Amino acid sequence: MKLNIAVVLLTFGLVAASSAGQARSTIDKIHMRVTVQDVVLLTDFSGKVIPVDFDPRFAVTVRIESVGPAVTNFTVGAVVAFAIHSPSLLFGEEAKKGKTYDFSVQREIKHGKTKYFGLKVAPARLTGNLIPST
């Protein structure tokens, strides 16, 4: 009887460990070339934003010129708005409407929910043909 209980407990333990492994999150990095359309205070923005930062205060609206890897939410030609904390922290300078930047953002998929974070602008010396057009 004690052996049967031990086997049952061991089996439950293995199943639980297996399920916990399946619940892990997937994190990947997305690279985009974007053209800035606008930067406004979040309180002045109307529309849908994608939060990518702590304590968001601004909305930066961009047109996606290219993206890799391909992601459903970010398609070439789409206009999206990211909720960011500070344009000066993101761009390292004043963001210029009409200027093209290379962005990277991390995406986490966990329990079927997607979260974006860590939006960054590639340093100017690294920009160029980093992302093939798709």
Side-chain angles (χ1 to χ4, degrees):
M1 180 70 170
K2 288 183 182 180
L3 181 59
N4 288 342
I5 293 173
V7 169
V8 169
L9 291 175
L10 179 61
T11 302
F12 281 129
L14 291 174
V15 169
S18 170
S19 298
Q22 292 173 359
R24 290 186 185 167
S25 64
T26 301
I27 298 177
D28 55 358
K29 189 178 254 188
I30 301 162
H31 298 277
M32 294 176 271
R33 170 151 298 162
V34 302
T35 301
V36 173
Q37 304 292 304
D38 204 4
V39 179
V40 298
L41 284 168
L42 196 53
T43 55
D44 295 338
F45 183 81
S46 63
K48 182 181 175 186
V49 293
I50 299 169
V52 293
D53 210 341
F54 68 96
D55 191 24
R57 295 172 184 232
F58 290 85
V60 59
T61 305
V62 300
R63 180 182 187 280
I64 299 174
E65 307 298 337
S66 61
V67 63
V71 177
T72 303
N73 293 358
F74 306 125
T75 57
V76 173
V79 175
V80 297
F82 294 104
I84 64 171
H85 178 69
S86 164
S88 60
L89 288 175
L90 177 61
F91 294 98
E93 61 183 32
E94 184 179 332
K96 296 179 178 100
K97 289 182 187 179
K99 185 172 179 182
T100 300
Y101 296 90
D102 289 322
F103 276 10
S104 67
V105 67
Q106 293 187 41
R107 173 180 66 173
E108 178 182 35
I109 302 170
K110 187 174 186 178
H111 303 297
K113 295 187 180 189
T114 303
K115 172 182 152 186
Y116 295 95
F117 62 95
L119 183 68
K120 295 185 191 276
V121 173
R125 63 178 170 46
L126 296 178
T127 58
N129 292 326
L130 292 178
I131 307 165
S133 294
T134 55

